[in-house]
Every structure is written in structure tokens, then in C-alpha cells.
Amino acid sequence: MRLLIGVVSVVVLTALVLTLSCARQEEEVTLMLGGAPAELDYWEEIITEFSATTGIPVELMRQPADTDQRRQSLLIPLKAGESDPDVFLMDIIWIGQFAASDWLEPLDAFIERDGFDLAPFFGDIIDLADKYAGRTVAMPVYIDAGLLYFRSDLLTEYGYDRPPDTWAELLEMSLEVQAGERKRNPGFWGFLWQGAQYEGLVCTFLEYAVSNGGLLVDANGDLVLNRDENVHALRFMRDLISDHAISPPNTYTEMKEEEVRSTFQGGNALFERNWPYAWGLHQAEDSPVRGKVGIGLLPRFEGNRHAAALGGWHVGISKSSNTKNAAWELVKFMVSREAQLGFTLRLGWNPARRDLYDSEEIAEQAPHLIDLKAVFENATARPNVPYYSLLSRALQQKVNAALAGSIEPRQALDEAQQEALEIAERYGRH
Ligand code: GLC
């Protein structure tokens, strides 16, 4: 009898443990995203808060900050149809391809079921980036646009009462301040920007080109990578490094967002091109440049307009997820007013919710975002074509080779144009 009771208890216990662990497996949501270390720490905090209020456990799968590396590490599980990660952040430029590959769960049924209101979000961004074949496949978490950061203390010290409006002014200020500062800091540079061979280089090239009246795709949808304005802009980028030497030689070998941010944050540069996220980190308590940084528009070439590349990160649910309901709860939380306010106040991210720009909290604690709202609304998107990743790779290689001085800018863009046309042709677009 004792033996029987023993056996029964073991069976019951095992069944209980199995049921519990299955329920847990069903419930636990895995979230994959990357960023600067301080940003990932903040994600841990907000996930803990989400789990405490909903009872849904979340596991964070950490990725690096570089967008190309993030894409690679996501492609592996998505292609294999693995159930994890359930939820992930996507760069605005990946969404079309992910949706076309049928990796994204459409969100419309959840949106309708919960009467979830899309009105507070930037509708144009949702239409541009989050819809595919008439379905909503993602939601915006934050919007990026390229900005100029400057050391306001140094500009004042050297007698400048405003940041540069044109590239020529940026060059002039950089040359003077760099020469002066090098007496105390030999590693000081005028201007840091992203020039390594990766996606960020397409963004910076686009900004120089558009601020010179150039463009990548014309009004008819034709690729025009080698326009004269673009060639001139690329020559200027190269000269910042080689002729004027206000940007370091490792611009084209190493400089991505985090390299640029940390060098500037260490007090080693006058100007920096970066996305809004750098603001929160520059103002952190342990930052050497805290309280000495201003933020504004990227300069333009004389007679042309200011330009900023449109970037940003969006959240989606994997079609292979086996916890879609819980995943949707997490998505709703990530785009909620409360979470987005936290991202903005703690990390300086630019919210994807329009309603936050009218909030008292942002007016008091992040007024610069309100001043920059027009920059986000007028930012220039990268070409929205299904073969974007191939086009980007071709352009990155050629532009980077021109920065390194191994090919002339004119030839670099002629070759990029040729390659891009071949890629487009393979996709039956031209
Ligand atoms: C930022 C932008 C993203 C862009 C990337 C390039 O993360 O949000 O859109 O592709 O930088 O490095």
C-alpha cells in the first residue's frame, strides 16, 4: 500500500511539474533586442516592471548595438522557423523584407479585438513602415533622425554664439577649435561621424547628399546614385578625413554609432553626428560632457536644405511564436504612453507617439525634442525597395572605398549605380 501511495505521489508530482513547466513555456515571452549597455540595463528594468504587473515572465536576449549584426542574429532563428524570439525590435529598413518573407504575425486581429487606438502614433510612419500588403505587421517604438551634437562650452569659449548652419561653417569652427584644444588634448578632433562600412554609412551619405541637393532615388523611382550633387558630397566627406583632417582616419575603418558617441563623450571632439539616443547617455551623471552639449540640425551646403536620415526601431511578433497572446501584451506595453515616456526621459529616445510631444513631462525635461519635432517629421527615408539590403551593401562598399582614398568618388558612385541597376534588374524593377 505504501509503495502504491509512493508511486501515485511521484506520478502526480511529475504530472504537476510537467503541467506547470508547460504552462510556463506557453507563457514566457522572449524578447530580442540590442543597444548600448546602459540601454539594455534599462530594458531589463522595464521588463521586470511589465512582468510584475502582468504576471508574464520575459526573457531578454541581448544583441549588440550595430544594426547589421542585429539583423544577422535575428535571421538565423527566423529563417529556421524557431519559436524564439517571440518579440523583437526591427530597424525600419528590415520590415518590408521580413514581412515579404512571412516572418511577421499580422497584428490587426489583436488591434481590433482590444480596440487598440493607433491615433496617438505618427500615422505617416505607420503607413510608410509598419504596413505590408494592407496589414499592420509592426508598431513603432522610437523614431530616429540624424542630428548634430556640439560642445556648447567650447563654442562659447572660442567666441561662437551659435552652432554651424553650413558645412563650411562646421569646417571653419572645427579647424580653429581642434588646433586650440590639441595643445591640451592631442587626441582631440573637430567632427566625428559614422563612416565604417555598414548600414550607418548609407545614412550619413544620404544626409550629405540631400543637404547638397542630391538624392538616391528620383521622383520616377529611378536610382540616381551618381548624380553630380552626390559626387560632390562624397568628395567633401572624404576631404574631412584626408585634406582637412578634422575627422580621424579610423572614421572609415571603425566609426559606428557607439564608437562616435563614446569618443565624443570622453571629451575628445567638438562636433558629433548621431541619433537622439546619444543625448541621454551624454547627460548621464558619470558623463564627462554632461551639461556641456547642445543638439541641433545637421549643417547643409550653401543654398541647400538641412537633411536628416530617417531611422527608427519597430516591434514585431514572430509568426512562429507559440505565445502570441502574451507577446501582444508585451508589444502593447512597449508602445504604451508610460513606456515611451520612460524611454524618452531616461534614454532621450524620440517617441513614436505624437501625444507625448504635448505632455508636460517632455516640455519640462526634454524640451529639445519639441524643438526638433520638425526634423523628425521631415527626415529623408532610405529607398523603400524589396532589394534594399543588397543595394545598401553595394553602396556601403563603394562609399567606404572612396573615404579610404582607394577609389575616386566619381568612379565609386558610377560603380555603385551600375551595381545597383543590376540588382534592381534581377528583381525585375527596371
Ligand atoms: C539607427 C537607426 C537605424 C539605422 C541605423 C544605422 O539605429 O535607427 O534606422 O539603420 O542607426 O546604423
Side-chain angles (χ1 to χ4, degrees), residues 118 120-123 125-126 139-143 313-314 335 340 344 349-357:
L118 292 179
F121 295 86
F122 282 104
I125 300 271
I126 293 194
M139 288 293 296
V141 177
Y142 62 97
I143 302 174
W313 290 78
H314 297 238
V335 299
Q340 298 230 330
T344 305
W349 289 357
N350 180 57
R353 294 183 70 111
R354 222 187 259 277
D355 53 347
L356 280 178
Y357 290 86

Side-chain angles (χ1 to χ4, degrees), residues 67 91-93 142 144 198-200 203 257 275 310-313 382:
T67 177
D91 191 336
I92 186 167
I93 48 168
Y142 62 97
D144 267 340
Y198 80 119
E199 182 58 35
C203 301
E257 284 80 7
W275 307 101
L310 176 69
W313 290 78
R382 282 158 277 174

